[in-house]
Amino acid sequence: MKRKNTLSLSFDTLRLEGGLLLPDILERAAQGKLNSQQATDYQIPKGLKLQDEYSRSFQIARAQWKAFSAQLERKDLDAQAVTQQFVLELLRDALGYRELEVQAEGITLEERHYPIPLLAFGRVPVVIAPHTLGLDEAAECFAIVGGGSRKKSAFQLTQEFLNASAGCLWGMVSNGRQLRLLRDAATLTRPSFLEFELATILEDERYPDFAALWRLLHGSVAGKTGAVSEDCHWEHWRNEGLQEGTRVREGLRKGV
């Protein structure tokens, strides 16, 4: 699969694959330059600044990474459990995902069972692979019961669940080292996602990159509990990009 980092000029720890978001919109969102990225949009209490929240969250995430990375080479620990604990704490304490429901039994849709471990705000599935596996590496633990194949990757599981679910439009997948954002897609043959290199961001203490990650993935961006899945910043940004692309094409057609 050919890979292209469309944000390499600003953040080499972010990689956009496929048509998830228009690169220009994503670039501006990563920089915090969209109108929908004020302190109130991120549910920051009055009297506090966004920069203060970035710094606080960064310190939390760095401490979490330090504890997690110290366990990466240990053979006496359950890699899945260690990674799930890290990702859960990162989302909850550093990125504002206050409503994370553990799905101990997974989720069943139309006679197919999906081993989805976490659900944020009731509609954002979070699939976690052990840090020993890549996000595109197939394993039996991600197989969809009733789905035919005995093995799936964490990314495939998440994508197929989003495509099958009427109430979930966006989701995340992580192995502790990388974190991907993905959306319901019409095809499975051309992967589309936004990936963050968590290991590099936190190990190398890249504060600007973390601030970009925070702006793009904070829990407030995912929308409120009870809202329809389309009512979130990700979808608004995507639609803004689609509209902008339409205007550009119409301008070219008219010779403007």
Side-chain angles (χ1 to χ4, degrees), residues 196-213:
F196 303 80
E197 285 290 338
L198 282 178
T200 302
I201 293 172
L202 297 175
E203 185 66 31
D204 295 351
E205 300 188 24
R206 296 197 185 185
Y207 176 77
D209 298 58
F210 179 82
L213 182 155

Side-chain angles (χ1 to χ4, degrees), residues 46-115:
K46 292 180 180 179
L48 297 181
K49 297 180 180 180
L50 276 172
Q51 289 78 2
D52 296 333
E53 199 63 21
Y54 301 156
S55 179
R56 171 182 172 275
S57 297
F58 184 57
Q59 295 304 317
I60 292 172
R62 278 285 299 135
Q64 292 170 336
W65 172 260
K66 184 177 180 180
F68 174 58
S69 60
Q71 300 174 321
L72 295 180
E73 302 302 323
R74 292 184 57 175
K75 306 299 183 182
D76 60 326
L77 299 176
D78 184 332
Q80 177 66 47
V82 167
T83 308
Q84 180 157 325
Q85 185 65 24
F86 167 66
V87 175
L88 188 153
E89 291 179 355
L90 179 74
L91 292 175
R92 183 190 64 201
D93 302 332
L95 296 178
Y97 285 79
R98 304 302 183 193
E99 298 182 38
L100 277 170
E101 304 171 16
V102 176
Q103 306 294 307
E105 303 299 325
I107 300 175
T108 299
L109 297 174
E110 298 182 355
E111 300 183 353
R112 290 191 176 187
H113 184 74
Y114 300 81

Side-chain angles (χ1 to χ4, degrees), residues 162-218:
L162 289 174
N163 290 2
S165 173
C168 299
L169 190 60
W170 293 80
M172 287 184 282
V173 58
S174 179
N175 60 2
R177 300 174 185 271
Q178 290 86 32
L179 176 62
R180 284 183 188 174
L181 174 70
L182 60 156
R183 183 189 181 278
D184 180 10
T187 177
L188 295 175
T189 58
R190 298 180 63 184
S192 180
F193 55 82
L194 176 63
E195 183 174 279
F196 303 80
E197 285 290 338
L198 282 178
T200 302
I201 293 172
L202 297 175
E203 185 66 31
D204 295 351
E205 300 188 24
R206 296 197 185 185
Y207 176 77
D209 298 58
F210 179 82
L213 182 155
W214 192 97
R215 295 183 193 107
L216 292 167
L217 290 188
H218 187 264

